[in-house]
Amino acid sequence: MSQGLFITIEGGEGTGKTTLAASLRERLEAEGCAVVTTREPGGIPIAEAIRDIVLRKENTAMDARTEALLYAAARRQHLVEKVMPALAQGAVVLCDRFVDSSLVYQGYARGLGIDEIGEINRFATEGCTPDLTLCLDLPPEAGLDRIRLSGSREVNRLDLEGLAFHRRVREGYRLIAKRYPQRIAMLDAAKPAAEVAAEAWAIVQARVRSRK
Protein backbone atom coordinates (compact mmCIF):
# COMPACT_ATOMS: atom_id res chain seq x y z
CA MET A 1 0.00 0.00 0.00
CA SER A 2 1.53 3.30 -1.08
CA GLN A 3 0.04 5.39 1.72
CA GLY A 4 -1.51 4.89 5.10
CA LEU A 5 -5.20 4.46 5.81
CA PHE A 6 -6.84 6.07 8.83
CA ILE A 7 -9.88 4.14 10.09
CA THR A 8 -11.79 5.17 13.19
CA ILE A 9 -14.37 3.19 15.16
CA GLU A 10 -17.12 5.12 16.89
CA GLY A 11 -20.21 4.46 18.98
CA GLY A 12 -21.73 4.84 22.41
CA GLU A 13 -20.69 3.03 25.56
CA GLY A 14 -20.67 -0.77 25.33
CA THR A 15 -21.20 -1.00 21.58
CA GLY A 16 -18.22 -3.31 20.95
CA LYS A 17 -15.60 -0.95 19.52
CA THR A 18 -12.63 -2.72 21.12
CA THR A 19 -13.84 -6.15 19.99
CA LEU A 20 -14.31 -4.92 16.43
CA ALA A 21 -10.87 -3.30 16.35
CA ALA A 22 -9.23 -6.58 17.38
CA SER A 23 -11.10 -8.49 14.68
CA LEU A 24 -10.20 -5.98 11.97
CA ARG A 25 -6.56 -5.98 13.00
CA GLU A 26 -6.37 -9.75 12.65
CA ARG A 27 -7.95 -9.69 9.20
CA LEU A 28 -5.81 -6.79 7.97
CA GLU A 29 -2.60 -8.42 9.11
CA ALA A 30 -3.66 -11.61 7.31
CA GLU A 31 -3.87 -9.46 4.16
CA GLY A 32 -0.29 -8.33 4.70
CA CYS A 33 -1.06 -4.85 6.03
CA ALA A 34 0.99 -3.15 8.70
CA VAL A 35 -1.55 -2.21 11.38
CA VAL A 36 -1.43 0.16 14.34
CA THR A 37 -4.29 -0.02 16.84
CA THR A 38 -4.80 2.81 19.29
CA ARG A 39 -7.48 4.65 21.24
CA GLU A 40 -8.70 8.07 22.28
CA PRO A 41 -8.23 9.63 24.63
CA GLY A 42 -4.92 7.85 25.13
CA GLY A 43 -2.59 5.85 22.95
CA ILE A 44 0.57 7.60 24.20
CA PRO A 45 1.67 8.57 27.75
CA ILE A 46 0.65 12.25 27.71
CA ALA A 47 -2.79 11.48 26.29
CA GLU A 48 -3.26 8.57 28.71
CA ALA A 49 -2.59 10.96 31.59
CA ILE A 50 -5.28 13.30 30.25
CA ARG A 51 -7.60 10.30 29.83
CA ASP A 52 -7.26 9.54 33.52
CA ILE A 53 -8.31 13.08 34.40
CA VAL A 54 -11.28 13.16 32.02
CA LEU A 55 -12.72 9.74 32.87
CA ARG A 56 -12.02 9.56 36.60
CA LYS A 57 -15.32 9.03 38.41
CA GLU A 58 -14.44 11.54 41.11
CA ASN A 59 -14.16 14.44 38.63
CA THR A 60 -17.88 15.13 38.50
CA ALA A 61 -17.32 18.89 38.82
CA MET A 62 -15.64 19.07 35.42
CA ASP A 63 -17.10 21.81 33.21
CA ALA A 64 -18.26 20.73 29.73
CA ARG A 65 -15.90 23.16 27.98
CA THR A 66 -12.98 21.97 30.10
CA GLU A 67 -13.85 18.43 29.08
CA ALA A 68 -13.93 19.38 25.38
CA LEU A 69 -10.57 21.17 25.57
CA LEU A 70 -8.91 18.28 27.40
CA TYR A 71 -10.10 15.83 24.76
CA ALA A 72 -8.77 18.11 22.01
CA ALA A 73 -5.39 18.43 23.77
CA ALA A 74 -5.07 14.66 24.16
CA ARG A 75 -6.08 14.23 20.52
CA ARG A 76 -3.42 16.64 19.29
CA GLN A 77 -0.57 14.93 21.10
CA HIS A 78 -1.77 11.46 20.08
CA LEU A 79 -2.09 12.53 16.46
CA VAL A 80 1.38 14.02 16.07
CA GLU A 81 3.16 11.43 18.20
CA LYS A 82 1.51 8.22 17.00
CA VAL A 83 -1.11 8.48 14.24
CA MET A 84 0.63 10.74 11.73
CA PRO A 85 3.99 8.89 11.87
CA ALA A 86 2.23 5.54 11.36
CA LEU A 87 0.28 6.86 8.37
CA ALA A 88 3.47 8.32 6.89
CA GLN A 89 4.99 4.84 7.03
CA GLY A 90 2.02 3.38 5.12
CA ALA A 91 0.28 1.63 8.02
CA VAL A 92 -3.43 1.14 8.54
CA VAL A 93 -4.30 2.97 11.75
CA LEU A 94 -7.33 1.63 13.63
CA CYS A 95 -8.36 4.19 16.24
CA ASP A 96 -11.04 3.65 18.88
CA ARG A 97 -12.70 7.12 18.80
CA PHE A 98 -11.58 10.38 17.19
CA VAL A 99 -13.11 13.81 16.51
CA ASP A 100 -16.61 12.41 15.96
CA SER A 101 -16.74 11.45 19.64
CA SER A 102 -16.19 15.08 20.64
CA LEU A 103 -18.78 16.31 18.14
CA VAL A 104 -21.30 13.91 19.63
CA TYR A 105 -20.50 13.86 23.37
CA GLN A 106 -19.58 17.49 23.94
CA GLY A 107 -21.09 19.14 20.87
CA TYR A 108 -24.47 17.40 20.78
CA ALA A 109 -25.09 15.54 24.05
CA ARG A 110 -23.67 18.31 26.27
CA GLY A 111 -25.15 21.03 24.07
CA LEU A 112 -21.95 22.95 23.27
CA GLY A 113 -22.67 22.85 19.54
CA ILE A 114 -21.37 20.46 16.89
CA ASP A 115 -19.91 23.28 14.79
CA GLU A 116 -18.27 24.93 17.82
CA ILE A 117 -16.59 21.69 18.88
CA GLY A 118 -15.64 21.10 15.27
CA GLU A 119 -13.72 24.38 15.23
CA ILE A 120 -11.74 23.45 18.35
CA ASN A 121 -10.80 20.15 16.81
CA ARG A 122 -9.91 21.56 13.40
CA PHE A 123 -7.28 23.60 15.22
CA ALA A 124 -6.11 20.58 17.22
CA THR A 125 -5.89 18.23 14.24
CA GLU A 126 -4.96 20.70 11.48
CA GLY A 127 -7.94 19.31 9.59
CA CYS A 128 -6.84 15.66 9.70
CA THR A 129 -9.88 13.51 8.89
CA PRO A 130 -10.29 9.71 8.90
CA ASP A 131 -10.50 7.95 5.55
CA LEU A 132 -13.28 5.75 6.95
CA THR A 133 -15.34 5.69 10.13
CA LEU A 134 -17.26 2.64 11.31
CA CYS A 135 -20.02 3.68 13.71
CA LEU A 136 -21.59 1.02 15.93
CA ASP A 137 -25.25 1.75 16.63
CA LEU A 138 -26.93 0.24 19.69
CA PRO A 139 -29.67 1.31 22.10
CA PRO A 140 -27.85 2.79 25.10
CA GLU A 141 -29.73 0.57 27.54
CA ALA A 142 -28.19 -2.47 25.86
CA GLY A 143 -24.69 -0.98 25.77
CA LEU A 144 -24.69 -0.03 29.44
CA ASP A 145 -26.02 -3.48 30.36
CA ARG A 146 -23.14 -5.05 28.44
CA ILE A 147 -20.64 -3.06 30.49
CA ARG A 148 -22.26 -4.01 33.78
CA LEU A 149 -22.67 -7.69 32.95
CA SER A 150 -19.28 -8.28 31.36
CA GLY A 151 -17.16 -6.52 33.97
CA SER A 152 -14.66 -6.09 31.13
CA ARG A 153 -13.61 -2.63 32.25
CA GLU A 154 -13.98 -0.25 35.15
CA VAL A 155 -17.02 1.99 35.06
CA ASN A 156 -15.92 5.53 34.17
CA ARG A 157 -17.39 9.03 34.57
CA LEU A 158 -19.27 8.91 31.25
CA ASP A 159 -20.87 5.58 32.11
CA LEU A 160 -22.43 7.27 35.15
CA GLU A 161 -24.32 9.83 33.07
CA GLY A 162 -28.09 9.43 32.99
CA LEU A 163 -29.85 7.44 30.31
CA ALA A 164 -31.08 10.65 28.66
CA PHE A 165 -27.47 11.68 28.03
CA HIS A 166 -26.63 8.36 26.40
CA ARG A 167 -29.74 8.60 24.24
CA ARG A 168 -28.54 11.98 23.03
CA VAL A 169 -25.19 10.40 22.22
CA ARG A 170 -26.92 7.89 19.98
CA GLU A 171 -28.94 10.66 18.33
CA GLY A 172 -25.74 12.63 17.80
CA TYR A 173 -24.00 9.77 16.02
CA ARG A 174 -26.97 9.30 13.72
CA LEU A 175 -26.94 13.01 12.98
CA ILE A 176 -23.28 13.21 12.01
CA ALA A 177 -23.58 10.01 9.96
CA LYS A 178 -26.11 11.88 7.84
CA ARG A 179 -23.73 14.84 7.59
CA TYR A 180 -20.80 12.71 6.38
CA PRO A 181 -22.30 9.71 4.53
CA GLN A 182 -19.23 9.23 2.31
CA ARG A 183 -17.02 8.65 5.36
CA ILE A 184 -19.25 7.16 8.06
CA ALA A 185 -20.71 3.66 7.76
CA MET A 186 -23.34 2.77 10.34
CA LEU A 187 -23.39 -0.82 11.66
CA ASP A 188 -26.10 -2.47 13.75
CA ALA A 189 -24.22 -3.44 16.92
CA ALA A 190 -27.22 -5.40 18.22
CA LYS A 191 -26.30 -8.19 15.79
CA PRO A 192 -23.90 -10.97 16.87
CA ALA A 193 -20.30 -9.77 17.07
CA ALA A 194 -19.19 -12.11 14.28
CA GLU A 195 -21.83 -10.71 11.94
CA VAL A 196 -20.88 -7.12 12.75
CA ALA A 197 -17.21 -7.96 12.17
CA ALA A 198 -17.99 -9.54 8.79
CA GLU A 199 -19.96 -6.49 7.65
CA ALA A 200 -17.24 -4.15 8.84
CA TRP A 201 -14.55 -6.21 7.14
CA ALA A 202 -16.33 -6.06 3.78
CA ILE A 203 -16.30 -2.25 4.01
CA VAL A 204 -12.68 -2.04 5.17
CA GLN A 205 -11.42 -4.57 2.64
CA ALA A 206 -12.92 -2.61 -0.23
CA ARG A 207 -11.32 0.61 1.03
CA VAL A 208 -7.90 -1.04 1.54
CA ARG A 209 -7.88 -2.56 -1.94
CA SER A 210 -8.87 0.74 -3.53
CA ARG A 211 -5.74 2.35 -2.01
CA LYS A 212 -3.25 -0.25 -3.29
Side-chain angles (χ1 to χ4, degrees):
M1 192 162 57
S2 60
Q3 56 185 312
L5 189 67
F6 187 19
I7 300 173
T8 56
I9 303 174
E10 293 281 354
E13 310 305 313
T15 52
K17 297 182 297 299
T18 302
T19 299
L20 179 57
S23 173
L24 290 175
R25 176 173 189 143
E26 183 177 346
R27 292 175 189 244
L28 284 163
E29 289 179 338
E31 291 271 319
C33 298
V35 183
V36 172
T37 54
T38 190
R39 69 174 182 175
E40 282 203 352
I44 47 98
I46 292 173
E48 287 290 341
I50 297 173
R51 178 188 181 91
D52 180 63
I53 294 170
V54 173
L55 296 181
R56 192 179 301 169
K57 289 185 292 185
E58 293 78 10
N59 289 342
T60 55
M62 186 176 295
D63 176 75
R65 291 174 187 263
T66 300
E67 181 182 80
L69 290 166
L70 285 172
Y71 275 122
R75 180 164 296 126
R76 173 64 186 176
Q77 188 65 31
H78 175 240
L79 191 65
V80 298
E81 190 173 336
K82 188 170 187 177
V83 175
M84 286 179 170
L87 292 173
Q89 293 173 5
V92 177
V93 175
L94 294 174
C95 189
D96 183 338
R97 299 196 182 280
F98 194 59
V99 172
D100 292 321
S101 284
S102 289
L103 300 181
V104 168
Y105 279 78
Q106 286 77 51
Y108 188 80
R110 296 218 188 279
L112 295 181
I114 290 176
D115 293 334
E116 288 78 1
I117 296 300
E119 283 300 319
I120 292 170
N121 282 277
R122 268 186 286 276
F123 173 76
T125 66
E126 296 181 271
C128 179
T129 303
D131 298 293
L132 172 67
T133 298
L134 302 170
C135 186
L136 298 172
D137 182 55
L138 185 71
E141 299 90 337
L144 295 172
D145 281 345
R146 284 181 180 180
I147 293 171
R148 285 191 289 266
L149 293 173
S150 69
S152 57
R153 67 168 173 80
E154 183 179 353
V155 173
N156 64 47
R157 189 172 61 87
L158 292 179
D159 297 329
L160 299 177
E161 292 284 353
L163 188 56
F165 174 84
H166 292 288
R167 286 174 175 162
R168 288 195 298 274
V169 166
R170 190 186 191 195
E171 291 171 2
Y173 274 120
R174 290 180 166 186
L175 178 62
I176 64 167
K178 291 179 180 178
R179 278 197 182 195
Y180 309 109
Q182 300 303 314
R183 174 174 63 83
I184 301 177
M186 296 290 286
L187 298 169
D188 182 0
K191 294 179 179 179
E195 190 173 337
V196 175
E199 292 179 4
W201 173 239
I203 297 168
V204 169
Q205 188 178 43
R207 191 62 61 97
V208 167
R209 289 179 175 175
S210 72
R211 298 291 287 268
K212 288 185 176 179

